[in-house]
Amino acid sequence: MSRFDVVVVGAGAAGLFCAGIAGQRGLKVLLLDHSEKVAEKVRISGGGRANFTNRDIDVRQPHKHFVGENPNFCRSALSRYTPADFIALMHKHGIAFHEKHKGQLFCDRSAGDLIDMLLAECAVGGVERRQPCGVKELRTAADGGYELDTDQGLVQTHKVVIATGGLSIPAIGATDFGFRVAKQFGLRTVEPRPGLVPLTFDGTGWAPYAGLAGLALPVLIETGDKKNRMVFAEDLLFTHRGLSGPAVLQISSYWKPGTPIRINLAPEVDLPAALADAKQRSRKLLVNELAQWVPSRLAEAWVEQDKEWQRPVAECSDKALARLAERLARWELVPTGTEGYKKAEVTLGGVDTRDLSQQTMESKQPGLHFIGEVVDVTGWLGGYNFQWAWASAHACAVAL
């Protein structure tokens, strides 16, 4: 049997970071993961370059970029460990990075540099890492601590940190371990579902657009209404089965099954005015005029849906042009579903924040902490989920 002050289960972004900080603060730390490879989700993130944080997080109201039953929960951790803090660590390790757009920071070379940094921080803290090493059972011990039956023997500890992530991308080892532990100790969970995920549409209804697969364009996309309305200005990507791209990944976290999404396919243009002007001066086919403002493949797919649009713009009725402008500026459609966990970047839902301390990430079960994606806190696309991993890990490690 081996004894540790802390056992961290899950060697992803949050688990590695928490273990390193706890170790450097003088605790004897064991880090376990059932997977052979370390931080595989970090490795494939951001196209292999890891969008590791976002400069634009508003430290006064960081929760506005996060989704959950109580987005305010994440405010404490995010305000105590900011993007500037993590950027300072990157500088300390000499890792080059760049900003793409909207505050998104990526490693210049590869996500491997970020993983190497986290492992180096663990090494400085004297963290013992066992991989692959699964946990068969976690139970309370007679002294009020915990015992873990692992693939490499029995472990005793005072504190356990669950950093096992969500259900996204099962091909690289995602499991429901964290949710099972929460339920085992009587903690509430919010039903998990795929987040930051492409949306799908039924075969026949999608037929007119299936030929647009691979086409990308900037759009305004929205869902919900009144105070629940959410809007993003991002790029849209057509796929064989539906829609993807940053716009759709963002809106998917807010979309409720059975409800519509609305898309403005030409957000930079006043279409009614542009089409009225074209009618006065042009002899071209409507489809050719339209191709000035939206990609030509999209223009062709659109005019094929109505005979009145398949003629020179000068011969189109005002009603027909108004209908076209309305359809393009407010394309409303109801997704039939999503591409599921295999394509989802994150998991919405998780351990209910009502049962966790926002200061320490400790649960109502003394000595049992939850950090990162396993918690019901989900960020927007663009480095926000990594920042939650760092901030929640830091809050937990300092408290330990």
Side-chain angles (χ1 to χ4, degrees):
M1 185 194 299
S2 42
R3 295 173 187 273
F4 292 85
D5 297 321
V6 184
V7 174
V8 179
V9 186
L16 282 165
F17 198 51
C18 181
I21 297 169
Q24 288 179 36
R25 293 172 77 93
L27 297 175
K28 188 182 179 191
V29 182
L30 173 64
L31 178 61
L32 302 175
D33 199 294
H34 72 105
S35 177
E36 203 167 307
K37 294 180 177 175
V38 63
E40 195 62 5
K41 197 170 177 187
V42 177
R43 193 178 301 283
I44 65 169
S45 67
R49 290 196 172 175
N51 177 193
F52 59 85
T53 192
N54 194 300
R55 267 196 220 275
D56 290 352
I57 291 181
D58 183 343
V59 290
R60 290 178 303 284
Q61 45 177 356
H63 55 284
K64 75 179 183 182
H65 299 289
F66 291 82
V67 188
E69 296 285 305
N70 176 21
N72 259 312
F73 174 85
C74 62
R75 186 175 189 161
S76 173
L78 287 165
S79 59
R80 285 182 289 144
Y81 192 85
T82 67
D85 292 318
F86 196 79
I87 288 165
L89 187 64
M90 296 284 283
H91 282 309
K92 179 182 150 193
H93 283 262
I95 298 174
F97 60 87
H98 59 279
E99 184 172 335
K100 277 204 174 168
H101 74 307
K102 297 190 175 181
Q104 300 171 12
L105 301 185
F106 291 78
C107 297
D108 277 2
R109 214 177 62 84
S110 109
D113 291 344
L114 180 60
I115 297 169
D116 290 345
M117 178 184 89
L118 295 169
L119 290 171
E121 288 288 305
C122 283
V124 172
V127 174
E128 183 175 329
R129 181 164 58 91
R130 298 180 186 173
Q131 275 186 272
C133 182
V135 178
K136 298 172 195 165
E137 191 187 349
L138 167 64
R139 58 183 175 269
T140 51
D143 65 355
Y146 293 90
E147 290 180 350
L148 296 91
D149 281 327
T150 79
D151 294 342
Q152 295 183 30
L154 185 63
V155 176
Q156 280 197 330
T157 183
H158 301 300
K159 310 267 186 184
V160 174
V161 179
I162 303 296
T164 48
L167 304 173
S168 315
I169 324 180
I172 57 168
T175 75
D176 65 347
F177 179 85
F179 307 140
R180 293 202 310 268
V181 169
K183 284 174 182 162
Q184 176 188 340
F185 289 99
L187 306 175
R188 292 170 284 192
T189 55
V190 175
E191 188 66 32
R193 66 186 201 278
L196 300 180
V197 64
L199 298 174
T200 55
F201 299 84
D202 72 64
T204 48
W206 192 246
Y209 313 109
L212 296 174
L215 181 71
L217 71 160
V219 301
L220 274 180
I221 189 167
E222 65 174 75
T223 194
D225 48 26
K226 295 178 183 160
K227 65 174 186 179
N228 293 322
R229 180 170 167 264
M230 203 66 208
V231 186
F232 290 98
E234 290 279 6
D235 283 0
L236 176 80
L237 174 69
F238 284 84
T239 71
H240 291 292
R241 288 159 44 86
L243 296 172
S244 187
V248 170
L249 299 187
Q250 290 282 43
I251 213 72
S252 71
S253 294
Y254 294 88
W255 172 71
K256 302 278 191 292
T259 65
I261 58 171
R262 294 173 293 279
I263 303 170
N264 184 341
L265 291 161
E268 305 292 312
V269 187
D270 179 348
L271 277 174
L275 288 169
D277 176 61
K279 182 175 177 175
Q280 297 301 316
R281 61 168 175 74
S282 174
R283 295 182 179 181
K284 290 182 185 174
L285 286 170
L286 173 56
V287 68
N288 294 334
E289 284 294 335
L290 198 55
Q292 296 176 70
W293 308 303
V294 299
S296 54
R297 282 168 64 199
L298 179 62
E300 287 161 15
W302 228 257
V303 300
E304 277 173 20
Q305 296 174 53
D306 192 323
K307 280 209 160 53
E308 291 194 49
W309 298 337
Q310 296 164 19
R311 56 180 71 180
V313 64
E315 296 173 21
C316 293
S317 71
D318 291 345
K319 268 189 178 171
L321 292 179
R323 196 164 65 246
L324 175 62
E326 167 68 15
R327 283 269 334 261
L328 282 165
R330 195 180 165 82
W331 184 27
E332 185 167 301
L333 58 172
V334 179
T336 48
T338 76
E339 289 284 6
Y341 288 118
K342 71 179 187 293
K343 293 278 182 74
E345 296 202 5
V346 292
T347 302
L348 292 156
V351 179
D352 196 319
T353 56
R354 289 177 297 177
D355 289 348
L356 301 176
S357 159
Q358 60 182 314
Q359 298 294 322
T360 66
M361 307 307 294
E362 186 174 20
S363 70
K364 288 184 174 175
Q365 168 68 32
L368 181 63
H369 301 245
F370 293 83
I371 59 173
E373 193 183 345
V374 74
V375 178
D376 177 32
V377 171
T378 304
W380 287 6
L381 188 73
Y384 295 99
N385 287 295
F386 268 128
Q387 188 58 36
W388 168 243
W390 316 137
S392 59
H394 182 269
C396 178
V398 170
L400 290 169

